[in-house]
Amino acid sequence: MFEMRERACLGRVGRLRTSHGVVETPALMPVVNPSNLLISPEELRRRFRIEILMTNAYIIYRSRFRDQVLERGIHHILDFEGPIMSDSGAFQQHVYGRVDVSNEEIVKFQTAMGSDLGAVLDIFSEPDSRWRECEEGVRETLSRCEEAVAWKGEMGLVGTVQGGLFSDLRTKCARSLSQIDLRVQAIGGVVPLMEGYRFADLVEVIIASKRGLRPDRPVHLFGAGHPITFGLAVLLGCDLFDSAAYAKYAYDGRMITRWGTTRVKNLRYVSCSCPACFDATPKDLKDDVKRLAEHNLHVSLQELEELKQAIHEGSLWEHVERRSRAHPRLLEALKTLRKHVDFLERYEKLSDGSLFYAGPESMWRPVAWRFRRRVLERYRPPEAESLLILQEARRPYSRTYASLLRDLSLKANAHAVVRSVLGPVPIELDEVYPVAQSVIPRELDVEALEASEVFLRQFLRLGHFSFGVLWEGDKTIAELASKAKGPSSLDMDMARARAVADYQFGSGASDALLGGEVELVKSKKKGKIRNVYVDSEHVLSLRAGDGLYTLKMAGGRRLHATFGPPRLRVVVNEESAPFNREGRNAFAKFVVECDDSIRPWEEVLVVDESDDLLAVGRAIMNREEMMAFQQGVAVKVREGSALS
Amino acid sequence: MFEMRERACLGRVGRLRTSHGVVETPALMPVVNPSNLLISPEELRRRFRIEILMTNAYIIYRSRFRDQVLERGIHHILDFEGPIMSDSGAFQQHVYGRVDVSNEEIVKFQTAMGSDLGAVLDIFSEPDSRWRECEEGVRETLSRCEEAVAWKGEMGLVGTVQGGLFSDLRTKCARSLSQIDLRVQAIGGVVPLMEGYRFADLVEVIIASKRGLRPDRPVHLFGAGHPITFGLAVLLGCDLFDSAAYAKYAYDGRMITRWGTTRVKNLRYVSCSCPACFDATPKDLKDDVKRLAEHNLHVSLQELEELKQAIHEGSLWEHVERRSRAHPRLLEALKTLRKHVDFLERYEKLSDGSLFYAGPESMWRPVAWRFRRRVLERYRPPEAESLLILQEARRPYSRTYASLLRDLSLKANAHAVVRSVLGPVPIELDEVYPVAQSVIPRELDVEALEASEVFLRQFLRLGHFSFGVLWEGDKTIAELASKAKGPSSLDMDMARARAVADYQFGSGASDALLGGEVELVKSKKKGKIRNVYVDSEHVLSLRAGDGLYTLKMAGGRRLHATFGPPRLRVVVNEESAPFNREGRNAFAKFVVECDDSIRPWEEVLVVDESDDLLAVGRAIMNREEMMAFQQGVAVKVREGSALS
């Protein structure tokens, strides 16, 4: 059983339940070999707080431990009471060309030794294999996974996506695995990519796999033990990692850092303050393999903690963009994400944290792409004779500057749009996420400037305006604005209320929500819209944090009446309906349908199968997730129809 | 006394000698106030290995400790036997508008309390002050520094560069300070810049100051206690930092990270494994100010250790480029460095570590700029009918690819130049630093592509060739090359030997060094030039690491005979000459002149004042440093003339 607790893009903090306890993910499973325990499982648990181990069933199968393990169980032999996952020998097949065991033998062996999670003997696809070869491997892998179900007993089965570098095969293999009774879905055949620094290929493989994998199972990235790849892999939805690297690197005199690897012999300063390093000299690390292995493990675990905190605080993208500067080939991988922005965007929260510009790639973060797309598709400008296109202020987009622009556009009876690296920002949307939450340097990369011009042209091509005027530099604007004393700001407030509604809920939402006698209640301090009443009903609240609406039941009724299914709907079954009507959350396992355009954190309508409105609330998942998960909340209900 | 031990750009690992012991720099001085010791000096020394403390003499002067400190000395009151630096109250003047003490009082007080290093009461220049005001402040600061010399006794005096945001004033102030008997040179007036994230301004201030400061004294950056700025500051030659931040932030519930600051109340995961954090829950850090302060100090100290290691292993630029992704305003600061590349390049080693492309800024790293400049100024192509301009290989620049190119250019009787983001690379220079040591992603930023085009045009404008042909894509090249079986590769080897000589030692060096019967001794394994004999004398060795020459005495004699002074010379006085002639190193204090174009790690000629050649060796410093330092080696001598 797997439950998603927090999220950012495809990344998630989750909880995986096994018969030996619960594991928080993303998690690193140190690989232990009973014949050679550099750091004992007991130490791993006590000193490193390791919750789950990985061991290689094939190696045990061929060792003197085979009978012991069968007799007393793997947990006893390893002296570890937590969950244990075992591998099948597929990797040894890659290394040695063959293995001396059948799928049946090794799966039954894993079941017998008491693994919590045991791997099918999949066919390792080499990155340079041809399509035909990979396709055969995938077919064999799938048939082995299918047959293994019969032998698994209580053990959770681990099936692995193969398919080499062929995205079609990866996705197909993943889709088929999703139909098989597996506990963990793994991505395999990637070690050669990591060894060769082929991180862009790795990203393609993970994304192609994730496109086909059902989202309610944890995903294990086989053989990823170096923290340099953790950030990208977590962002793309990998939940489990296994590391033999901490020990292997130590035996080889290499110190793992979050930026790469350093040979201990080149170490003059121990620039780490982990428990293994704090009192150590470079010589201590050079002479003591175990100490070095401990460091390697600490730094790997710390990276996962940082990633979990980044997911929690909404800074995962910033984290990954920084880490991508560890190596040019990682930067290459980061740039590759742009190709898949439409897929990534489906998993991205409606709003989350800040947007720190770190380079031209930042313009292609899914939230920036979504902003541009929604402006193009959903936004309609208020009536105006002409368009003022304003350069982004040299200094960070400021309140004063924004109010100058508003005054100015009122005076000139022109509509104002600010050209920014996120795309053109209609002045009424300047507080919407991620515009107001972005931090952009004053000096921009040429690529960013050119792209912002392209984005603007896409917007102008919509033909909202008969002609446009370009004002450059804030001095001129300030001068003009000082003379322009607009009338009241009522019109601009209404324009904002309408623009945000269309942006958030789709074209036509402003008419649905704001048709009638509108009263905008503003904050006393800053004079900003906080609540929207229509015909004396409280329809919407506007959040200060992300400039988007919270939907009230009255607003939900208006949207429900205007928009037909499936728009904005999450459909629950009759078992769930009475609870939601009373204001209780809607759980994923009761969801029967969901609007495909709903994104996590979106305000939605909960309806029953007859499209009766049950509640309004915030979606926690997108459609794919709601349909798959059997655990967790799909919609956090705010108001049920029975109570209002 | 200050000695430079290792270096990278303006950054250095140094040793500062005081009457209470030696301090390794870059160093962080925790600020301690005897009235409020959150972490005691004894703990700082024992548990944090702090070598030097900072305390505020003005605050003590106005406290109940005043008489005690005068009676028993500051070391006794703080219970700290290492060096102590004291501040004068200049910062309080900034905070409160005035201070109730005169320069004479506070300097004498610091002398009397036994400070190892004591600050003059300088005039804090506010970043938004006008030129006139700053200029007056600078004048007053300088006159106070001058008068303070009389009162300093045994204490090392700390004088501070002021001048607001005016580079001319900063440089002028720094030049004047360099003439005064100071032990430490500080840069002041920068706290408001750091508080306001005005990192680009901070960079301008540091560079303008460094342009005027003599390089043989440590530079203290006043008030820089957050590790986010350490990387840039160290790269630009700051050696000392003081931190009240570790405690201040802790009292305010803020956790310092190398990427910024997190409120402990937002902490869900303690993503740190320092001694303060390792066993801690978020609640522990929230409830225990001292523990949080300890973390803040650990993370700050660890950043300095990482920086020292980065200087040691030649990855300081990589470190700084990564860290600049912590905040868009830091990225802004990084981009600002490009304006000062000519100054930075003077301090950059001839070769050092790798060059990892992290963004368009990487093309403007001083070593890349130097490569382009030397190619433009020093390189002359061998005779060829035309020019083949080759696109950089899509895959990382490989040996196979390079040899294809060579064969091809021989066959076509054309000279080949590869267009790269570092600039055009003549094929004979493709193993010269930083070309072969660079790692460039396959997918490039538009800005990088455009710049590489501009660099190429600058090269073509030199008119070396009557016409050029552009070949794109490596497939075509591979096809052509497969047909092209060039004759022997002898010509290409000679061309390489000549091109590297001119590149490294200047135009004409190839004629000087290689005039005569040349024998190229190549490595057996890879067939690369290793040693160059001319007329049976061993003239040069070609290093595998950076593709540049090591100069032998015979080569030195040839360069000396051909090039007149000051080219390639380091002139030492008669006290030094006999030792250098015997092959002993040349120390900076004996250097009387030095070729302005010599860079650290350059191969040079050591001569006496009559221009007699004494030795050949590797420069450790540039001209400014050789002329200023009284400590340390200026030229590591390889061969003395007496011995060969």
Side-chain angles (χ1 to χ4, degrees), chain B residues 249-542:
Chain B
Y249 279 61
Y251 281 117
D252 193 29
R254 288 183 292 164
M255 184 174 188
I256 291 177
T257 74
R258 266 153 294 173
W259 303 105
T261 313
T262 309
R263 296 220 153 263
V264 261
K265 69 170 191 255
N266 296 335
L267 220 57
R268 184 127 172 194
Y269 303 91
V270 180
S271 49
C272 176
S273 56
C274 81
C277 289
F278 183 63
D279 282 320
T281 63
K283 192 170 179 310
D284 294 335
L285 291 170
K286 210 161 11 188
D287 296 345
D288 185 346
V289 173
K290 190 178 172 195
R291 192 166 195 164
L292 186 55
E294 288 181 0
H295 159 83
N296 287 346
L297 193 52
H298 276 301
V299 74
S300 308
L301 293 169
Q302 194 186 324
E303 175 69 358
L304 286 181
E305 292 300 300
E306 285 192 34
L307 286 164
K308 286 191 280 182
Q309 176 63 22
I311 291 173
H312 174 67
E313 69 186 29
S315 61
L316 183 61
W317 275 95
E318 274 76 10
H319 186 102
V320 171
E321 290 191 67
R322 281 170 204 154
R323 285 289 192 265
S324 299
R325 263 74 192 185
H327 195 281
R329 308 293 305 272
L330 271 177
L331 183 58
E332 217 171 270
L334 180 71
K335 287 175 183 287
T336 298
L337 297 182
R338 174 175 163 177
K339 285 192 251 168
H340 303 283
V341 64
D342 58 336
F343 175 63
L344 302 180
E345 187 268 336
R346 299 184 64 81
Y347 292 82
E348 198 79 58
K349 282 184 201 163
L350 196 63
S351 67
D352 193 14
S354 312
L355 189 152
F356 276 14
Y357 180 96
E361 310 75 43
S362 305
M363 296 180 302
W364 292 97
R365 273 177 55 171
V367 292
W369 181 80
R370 172 193 293 158
F371 177 79
R372 292 194 290 276
R373 214 190 47 166
R374 290 198 175 187
V375 167
L376 288 180
E377 292 176 0
R378 301 181 170 191
Y379 169 78
R380 294 292 169 274
E383 301 242 329
E385 283 173 12
S386 58
L387 177 69
L388 276 174
I389 302 159
L390 304 157
Q391 288 292 81
E392 193 163 42
R394 308 270 169 223
R395 65 188 110 93
Y397 199 73
S398 69
R399 299 274 165 248
T400 330
Y401 185 67
S403 78
L404 285 179
L405 298 187
R406 275 194 292 276
D407 288 351
L408 182 62
S409 66
L410 283 168
K411 177 76 176 178
N413 191 22
H415 187 62
V417 167
V418 179
R419 171 156 72 187
S420 85
V421 289
L422 299 177
V425 180
I427 199 74
E428 317 97 279
L429 292 179
D430 70 347
E431 286 179 5
V432 155
Y433 185 86
V435 176
Q437 292 73 15
S438 64
V439 186
I440 313 284
R442 272 171 295 188
E443 209 180 316
L444 282 168
D445 304 289
V446 171
E447 179 156 354
L449 291 170
E450 291 186 358
S452 95
E453 186 61 36
V454 171
F455 301 149
L456 181 64
R457 286 186 196 175
Q458 288 174 333
F459 178 75
L460 296 179
R461 223 174 289 133
L462 294 178
H464 292 318
F465 304 95
S466 47
F467 67 95
V469 188
L470 179 68
W471 294 96
E472 306 228 16
D474 41 17
K475 200 176 167 197
T476 325
I477 289 169
E479 276 168 14
L480 282 171
S482 69
K483 292 171 209 155
K485 288 273 165 243
S488 96
S489 64
L490 186 67
D491 291 343
M492 187 51 80
D493 287 334
M494 259 311 283
R496 181 182 296 276
R498 297 183 61 87
V500 176
D502 285 338
Y503 175 88
Q504 182 171 355
F505 300 108
S507 297
S510 56
D511 292 334
L513 287 161
L514 303 168
E517 190 69 40
V518 177
E519 188 199 349
L520 302 178
V521 181
K522 302 210 274 181
S523 67
K524 288 209 175 109
K525 247 188 178 166
K526 299 193 174 172
K528 293 200 180 174
I529 304 171
R530 282 296 155 255
N531 289 294
V532 182
Y533 288 80
V534 185
D535 296 339
S536 306
E537 278 189 319
H538 190 183
V539 170
L540 297 162
S541 301
L542 194 61

Side-chain angles (χ1 to χ4, degrees), chain A residues 592-613:
Chain A
V592 295
E593 243 321 330
C594 172
D595 179 0
D596 188 56
S597 67
I598 286 173
R599 302 288 173 260
W601 265 231
E602 197 107 53
E603 295 288 310
V604 297
L605 311 174
V606 181
V607 298
D608 64 16
E609 294 182 71
S610 326
D611 199 39
D612 277 345
L613 181 63

Side-chain angles (χ1 to χ4, degrees), chain A residues 17-18 43 70 86 101 119 131 165 239 242 286 349 371 413 416 487 494 517 532 576 629 632:
Chain A
R17 215 168 291 273
T18 76
E43 280 182 287
L70 285 175
S86 52
V101 74
W131 190 90
L165 295 185
D239 307 289
D242 64 285
K286 209 160 11 182
K349 282 184 201 166
F371 177 79
N413 192 22
M494 261 309 284
E517 189 71 38
V532 181
S576 171
F629 269 98

Side-chain angles (χ1 to χ4, degrees), chain B residues 231-249:
Chain B
L232 268 168
V234 165
L235 182 85
L236 298 176
C238 297
D239 307 289
L240 294 168
F241 303 89
D242 62 287
S243 171
Y246 73 100
K248 268 196 205 164
Y249 279 61

Side-chain angles (χ1 to χ4, degrees), chain A residues 49 273 278 335 442 445, chain B residues 49 278 302 332 335 445:
Chain A
R49 283 165 285 182
S273 55
F278 184 62
K335 287 175 184 288
R442 274 171 294 187
D445 304 288
Chain B
R49 284 165 285 181
F278 183 63
Q302 194 186 324
E332 217 171 270
K335 287 175 183 287
D445 304 289

Side-chain angles (χ1 to χ4, degrees), chain A residues 5-6 13 24 47-49 197-198 200-201 258-259 262-263 265-275 277-280 298-299 302 305-309 312-313 318 321-323 325-329 331-332 335-336 338-339 355-361 396 439-447 450, chain B residues 5-6 13 24 47-49 197-198 200-201 258-259 262-263 265-275 277-280 298-299 302 305-309 312-313 318 321-323 325-329 331-332 335-336 338-339 355-361 396 439-447 450:
Chain A
R5 308 288 292 233
E6 299 209 56
V13 177
E24 186 175 65
R47 294 178 45 217
F48 295 85
R49 283 165 285 182
Y197 281 67
R198 296 167 65 174
D201 289 335
R258 267 155 291 172
W259 303 103
T262 309
R263 297 220 153 262
K265 69 170 186 249
N266 296 334
L267 220 55
R268 183 124 170 197
Y269 302 91
V270 180
S271 48
C272 176
S273 55
C274 82
C277 290
F278 184 62
D279 281 322
H298 275 302
V299 74
Q302 193 186 324
E305 292 300 299
E306 284 192 36
L307 286 164
K308 287 192 278 182
Q309 174 65 21
H312 174 67
E313 70 187 27
E318 274 77 10
E321 290 191 68
R322 279 170 206 156
R323 286 288 191 265
R325 262 76 192 184
H327 195 280
R329 309 293 305 274
L331 183 59
E332 218 170 271
K335 287 175 184 288
T336 298
R338 175 175 163 178
K339 285 191 252 168
L355 189 152
F356 275 14
Y357 180 97
E361 310 78 42
V439 185
I440 313 284
R442 274 171 294 187
E443 209 181 317
L444 282 168
D445 304 288
V446 171
E447 178 155 353
E450 290 186 359
Chain B
R5 308 286 292 235
E6 299 209 57
V13 178
E24 187 175 64
R47 293 179 45 216
F48 295 85
R49 284 165 285 181
Y197 281 65
R198 295 167 67 175
D201 288 335
R258 266 153 294 173
W259 303 105
T262 309
R263 296 220 153 263
K265 69 170 191 255
N266 296 335
L267 220 57
R268 184 127 172 194
Y269 303 91
V270 180
S271 49
C272 176
S273 56
C274 81
C277 289
F278 183 63
D279 282 320
H298 276 301
V299 74
Q302 194 186 324
E305 292 300 300
E306 285 192 34
L307 286 164
K308 286 191 280 182
Q309 176 63 22
H312 174 67
E313 69 186 29
E318 274 76 10
E321 290 191 67
R322 281 170 204 154
R323 285 289 192 265
R325 263 74 192 185
H327 195 281
R329 308 293 305 272
L331 183 58
E332 217 171 270
K335 287 175 183 287
T336 298
R338 174 175 163 177
K339 285 192 251 168
L355 189 152
F356 276 14
Y357 180 96
E361 310 75 43
V439 186
I440 313 284
R442 272 171 295 188
E443 209 180 316
L444 282 168
D445 304 289
V446 171
E447 179 156 354
E450 291 186 358

